[in-house]
Amino acid sequence: MRRKKIAVLGATGSIGTSTLAVLRDLQEEYEVYALSAHRNMALFAEQIREFAPKAAAVTDEQCAKDFRAEGVELFAGEKGLIQICDGADLVILGVVGVAGLPVFEHCLRSGIPVALATKEAMVYGGRLARDLMEQTGTPVLPLDSELSAIFQCLKGNEMCPPEEILLTASGGPFRTWPLERIQQATLEQALRHPNWSMGAKITIDSATMANKGLEIMETRWMFDIAPEKITVVVHPESIVHSAVRFADNSVMAQLGVPDMKLPIAYALGHPGRRKNSVEKLDFFQIGALHFEQPDLKKFPCLALAMQATRGDGSAQMIFNASNDVAVELFRTGAITFWQISEVISQAMDHFAGVRAKSFDEIYGINERIKAYVRQRHLPQAGK
């Protein structure tokens, strides 16, 4: 039986390492055809030695010049990401940031199925991405646990459009903190997520709930559903990954332990399901599940994201680009945790009305927004 060729983009990140952990037990069915990394060359070299891909890409140009690996065709830069997708049967897109959007566009136009973990592909792409998905019909499987849950709940209900999507959120490390304490939160505190082990950027986004805002945007375009039909539900146990309410008011939910290997295994095996190493969900050990409304005063980034999701999605670019820089500034000590939302709000006001009419225009707008935020806030670091 021919093995399915998998390209794992962002192999050294949390999604990439989890994907390779799943594939490690399924090598009779899947071939790790291509891998990419940005700067973690030590881990990348180990992955290449273990999985022996046909092709590999290093997106950091300087790291690419110095990197060597035997028996693999090497590509460099962001173009290399696109080059290693050709020939794959499925692309696991776990690249951080807007760098994943050109890959997503290429795969859609080339008919290469994508398992999507790069939120920015939908956040920046918006209506353009949704229209291209419909025009090409290229399969797109969501890899985020919440979007995978929604996708699974909708399977078999294609004739029943959802009335409401219940998008669950852990609430992050500051869910129970009073507003005054959140305003004084430190970097170390923001990096302590109670349920998930993730990279620093996404962990901080979880602490501000900006990450849930990005998932609202992703949900809106992945499933082409009006934003007013998406409800965020704070669920601290992270057992219900999301749910869908239908016209008869029945609700279907997908449950599981908080482990990214579960949605990854589902995407790899779709439309079937296969056994994996994920821990079995024990209802008796859990005992109880809890659900709350999000407090938008304590988490203004979530409120701003809801505002940005309205319309054709253009404001999403402003939210995402300014948030990227704001988190960067917070990590370097240039701004406080609470100022992250203030930076985003200022950028959204400044760039209100900006529109991208093509994919190419998105990248220029992204750079303009980031340059504006850096110029406005970096001088504060020296004061």
Side-chain angles (χ1 to χ4, degrees), residues 281-302:
L281 181 64
D282 187 335
F283 280 84
F284 303 109
Q285 183 178 2
I286 295 167
L289 300 174
H290 301 87
F291 305 94
E292 308 165 4
Q293 285 187 322
D295 187 332
L296 299 183
K297 290 183 179 179
K298 288 167 58 173
F299 299 101
C301 287
L302 180 59

Side-chain angles (χ1 to χ4, degrees), residues 128-258:
L128 293 171
R130 180 69 236 176
D131 288 347
L132 187 58
M133 287 170 62
E134 293 179 357
Q135 290 165 14
T136 63
T138 301
V140 179
L141 300 166
L143 225 64
D144 278 331
S145 61
E146 293 86 353
L147 274 82
S148 175
I150 296 164
F151 182 84
Q152 293 178 54
C153 292
L154 292 174
K155 297 300 288 183
N157 290 294
E158 288 79 4
M159 302 303 292
C160 310
E163 288 295 312
E164 182 181 22
I165 287 179
L166 302 164
L167 187 66
T168 56
S170 70
F174 304 144
R175 179 181 64 87
T176 61
W177 286 27
L179 176 60
E180 296 75 16
R181 190 180 176 197
I182 294 175
Q183 290 173 333
Q184 304 301 318
T186 66
L187 176 60
E188 182 183 6
Q189 290 167 334
L191 289 172
R192 294 177 189 159
H193 195 282
N195 298 339
W196 297 93
S197 175
M198 306 174 290
K201 167 62 167 59
I202 192 171
T203 304
I204 293 169
D205 282 349
S206 179
T208 63
M209 291 197 75
N211 188 58
K212 198 53 51 179
L214 296 173
E215 286 178 5
I216 295 173
M217 301 171 190
E218 191 180 11
T219 298
R220 189 259 184 272
W221 297 110
M222 175 70 74
F223 304 107
D224 201 13
I225 185 169
E228 57 268 22
K229 290 189 174 184
I230 303 170
T231 301
V232 174
V233 179
V234 175
H235 168 50
E237 292 86 3
S238 295
I239 296 298
V240 176
H241 295 299
S242 276
V244 177
R245 181 175 65 84
F246 294 95
D248 61 354
N249 284 327
S250 64
V251 176
M252 295 187 68
Q254 188 264 327
L255 285 70
V257 296

Side-chain angles (χ1 to χ4, degrees), residues 97-99 101-102 104-105 120-129 312-314 316-318 320-321 354-370:
V98 74
L101 182 56
F104 187 56
E105 181 188 1
E120 290 82 358
M122 286 295 181
V123 171
Y124 279 98
R127 173 53 65 188
L128 293 171
D312 64 357
S314 297
Q316 297 177 179
M317 296 186 295
I318 307 168
N320 195 100
V354 168
R355 297 287 183 273
K357 298 178 182 178
S358 68
F359 284 97
D360 288 340
E361 288 185 6
I362 289 172
Y363 309 110
I365 293 172
N366 178 59
E367 291 305 317
R368 281 172 51 203
I369 297 166
K370 290 187 174 183

Side-chain angles (χ1 to χ4, degrees), residues 251-272:
V251 176
M252 295 187 68
Q254 188 264 327
L255 285 70
V257 296
D259 189 330
M260 278 306 301
K261 293 195 291 292
L262 192 60
I264 289 168
Y266 178 79
L268 287 169
H270 181 268

